[in-house]
Amino acid sequence: GAGVSQSPSNKVTEKGKDVELRCDPISGHTALYWYRQSLGQGLEFLIYFQGNSAPDKSGLPSDRFSAERTGGSVSTLTIQRTQQEDSAVYLCASSFDRDREYEQYFGPGTRLTVT
Amino acid sequence: AQSVAQPEDQVNVAEGNPLTVKCTYSVSGNPYLFWYVQYPNRGLQFLLKYITGDNLVKGSYGFEAEFNKSQTSFHLKKPSALVSDSALYFCAVSGAGSYQLTFGKGTKLSVIP
């Protein structure tokens, strides 16, 4: 079946511009996660959605970052007024349910470069 | 707070030799432990997990991992390395009452022909 898809695969933007990154989770998966992977670093948790519950935004690094999930499926991560330190690979993952026994399935990521 | 340590940034092993990628963790309660692999320019792929039961867990591509509660470790192993195993490996943990995964910084495995 189809896996997690993300678009665009690469995004180059100028400092100060806004960007939107999209994630399509695996059909039927109720939990959706966004992570940021910087060069040489591990994965940094950003935000988590579970069904219709309020998202866990505890990992968002600043108020320039926001995310939404429409209809319990597609999610968009928005970064406003981008800065060079926002350059990273943004990974989306989904899992069957939020219970911690379920493994997460990752998309290929969006590589964001802020010039 | 939960944490994961992967003490080796890089592991080099000759093709055909056994490989070990180390992982130690710190969580509250019983840990759920995962290994993921990332090939160049790809997302992470799930390899295996420990939830409960047998301490030796077998996963994809011939990999296995051993849960050691006393040493709080979950090392990844493979009896005979392949060049195609060269990739970045991440260990992750989730503690009791948490639905978040905490990842280690990753270990780059290079299998030398």
Side-chain angles (χ1 to χ4, degrees):
Chain A
V4 177
S5 61
Q6 293 185 245
S7 61
S9 56
N10 283 283
K11 177 71 176 179
V12 180
T13 190
E14 294 179 352
K15 177 182 174 181
K17 300 284 190 182
D18 297 351
V19 295
E20 285 189 352
L21 312 179
R22 177 187 168 105
C23 171
D24 281 276
I26 293 173
S27 177
H29 280 193
T30 62
L32 186 147
Y33 306 78
W34 283 98
Y35 296 88
R36 179 167 68 176
Q37 185 178 20
S38 302
L39 187 64
Q41 300 296 313
L43 273 70
E44 175 188 9
F45 166 77
L46 297 177
I47 189 168
Y48 157 79
F49 296 89
Q50 167 62 32
N52 295 320
S53 302
D56 176 354
K57 305 180 182 180
S58 61
L60 294 178
S62 77
D63 58 7
R64 296 186 296 105
F65 288 73
S66 63
E68 63 178 21
R69 187 180 186 191
T70 54
S73 182
V74 171
S75 176
T76 302
L77 177 69
T78 301
I79 309 174
Q80 296 178 310
R81 306 181 301 281
T82 52
Q83 304 295 311
Q84 288 185 332
E85 60 263 29
D86 299 334
S87 295
V89 176
Y90 289 82
L91 293 169
C92 174
S94 69
S95 65
F96 178 72
D97 194 84
R98 72 173 184 181
D99 288 342
R100 60 192 182 114
E101 68 189 86
Y102 297 107
E103 60 269 26
Q104 296 179 20
Y105 293 84
F106 284 79
T110 294
R111 182 176 298 277
L112 175 65
T113 304
V114 182
T115 60
Chain B
Q2 53 193 40
S3 64
V4 175
Q6 293 182 242
E8 302 154 318
D9 291 336
Q10 176 143 0
V11 170
N12 298 320
V13 62
E15 186 177 23
N17 282 2
L19 69 87
T20 298
V21 183
K22 296 179 180 177
C23 171
T24 59
Y25 65 90
S26 175
V27 293
S28 299
N30 292 326
Y32 284 11
L33 294 151
F34 300 79
W35 276 100
Y36 288 84
V37 59
Q38 186 176 34
Y39 297 101
N41 301 313
R42 302 275 298 275
L44 276 71
Q45 296 180 30
F46 168 75
L47 272 181
L48 51 80
K49 65 181 177 183
Y50 171 82
I51 303 299
T52 187
D54 195 350
N55 288 344
L56 185 63
V57 178
K58 294 187 183 298
S60 306
Y61 311 120
F63 283 94
E64 58 189 27
E66 186 167 12
F67 170 62
N68 188 315
K69 187 173 183 177
S70 63
Q71 296 186 4
T72 61
S73 67
F74 190 56
H75 301 330
L76 181 70
K77 300 181 180 182
K78 187 174 181 180
S80 179
L82 301 173
V83 172
S84 57
D85 293 330
S86 299
L88 189 58
Y89 290 81
F90 290 95
C91 180
V93 68
S94 176
S98 172
Y99 48 77
Q100 286 189 26
L101 274 182
T102 297
F103 286 82
K105 291 189 180 299
T107 298
K108 183 179 179 181
L109 173 68
S110 293
V111 181
I112 304 161

